[in-house]
Amino acid sequence: MNVFYNKEGIGDVLIISLKDIPYEQKRFERKGDVVKIFDAETNETAGFNIFQATSYFSLDGNGQLDVTAEMVEKINQTIAQNGFSDKLEADLSPKFVVGHVLEKEKHPNADKLSVCKVDVGDEVLQIVCGAPNVAAGQKVVVAKVGAVMPSGMVIKEAELRGISSSGMICSAKELNLPNAPKEKGILVLEDSRKPGEPFFK
């Protein structure tokens, strides 16, 4: 679940995004201040827009908002109050975590890509990486599936040149860190960092 708010850009609307669906398959149902977006083919819920958002929520930020258990509860209350029976759940685990590169192999179909096995604490992910400096043994920053990058890009399951990739090994520039180097390359962390621990405290 990703939640966005930008009063200056689009007005007093809270946008809740659950999954991407093609625009031509999107259908909308409105009850009160809430619009439900769903897939016309599968009937899966893709998200909600809550209008007059500040009459339901205390909102003091712009862009992507931190999703908390309290926010999810309040969203569910608002949806129910406006006549929908949906109940949302959110994965509140950190999406930017420390990873340990266990293996790095050359991508079989692309000269400049590597296929990495990365320990992120509770699982080992396969991630295709294009950075020239990635190597086995490094501690790195992994954006897991569902992470929203500072650029606004949402990290999804992907297939790159025929190889599946679950996440992204990040550079300092991609993380919008101050004094990020201009040259290409992932951010390599101190070896004392533990796989799975949140990168952003």
Side-chain angles (χ1 to χ4, degrees):
M1 177 192 295
N2 294 306
V3 180
F4 303 90
Y5 184 73
N6 184 345
K7 188 170 185 178
E8 290 182 7
I10 59 172
D12 192 15
V13 184
L14 192 70
I15 298 173
I16 300 134
S17 176
L18 303 175
K19 64 170 293 185
D20 286 335
I21 58 173
Y23 182 79
E24 61 273 11
Q25 291 174 212
K26 285 184 179 179
R27 296 295 181 271
F28 306 90
E29 181 183 2
R30 181 162 186 164
K31 295 182 180 181
D33 288 327
V34 176
V35 173
K36 177 180 177 178
I37 302 112
F38 62 96
D39 189 320
E41 293 187 1
T42 65
N43 215 34
E44 287 182 281
T45 302
F48 289 88
N49 293 342
I50 299 175
F51 293 84
Q52 315 300 329
T54 51
S55 65
Y56 299 98
F57 304 88
S58 297
L59 298 169
D60 57 2
N62 268 338
Q64 186 190 12
L65 305 182
D66 290 331
V67 178
T68 63
E70 292 77 17
M71 176 180 280
V72 175
E73 183 179 353
K74 185 62 178 173
I75 288 170
N76 281 325
Q77 289 173 358
T78 302
I79 289 171
Q81 185 179 332
N82 282 272
F84 287 100
S85 59
D86 304 66
K87 191 166 182 64
L88 307 187
E89 297 180 358
D91 176 6
L92 301 178
S93 63
K95 294 295 181 287
F96 293 92
V97 299
V98 175
H100 180 209
V101 182
L102 302 176
E103 300 175 18
K104 172 202 166 181
E105 295 181 355
K106 185 180 177 300
H107 193 296
N109 304 317
D111 290 339
K112 294 185 178 180
L113 296 178
S114 302
V115 182
C116 301
K117 295 288 196 300
V118 187
D119 176 7
V120 292
D122 56 347
E123 59 184 331
V124 175
L125 302 176
Q126 177 172 283
I127 300 176
V128 177
C129 180
N133 66 325
V134 67
Q138 292 172 334
K139 297 290 178 63
V140 296
V141 183
V142 173
K144 299 175 74 174
V145 170
V148 180
M149 302 300 292
S151 66
M153 180 178 70
V154 180
I155 301 300
K156 305 172 187 175
E157 296 279 359
E159 191 171 288
L160 301 172
R161 296 287 185 92
I163 300 293
S164 61
S165 183
S166 301
M168 176 175 161
I169 302 174
C170 303
S171 69
K173 184 177 180 181
E174 289 164 335
L175 295 167
N176 202 27
L177 299 180
N179 303 315
K182 289 185 171 57
E183 60 269 16
K184 288 185 177 181
I186 57 163
L187 176 64
V188 180
L189 303 175
E190 297 173 6
D191 199 49
S192 59
R193 301 293 296 266
K194 299 286 189 287
E197 73 176 52
F199 174 68
F200 295 110
K201 300 299 184 182

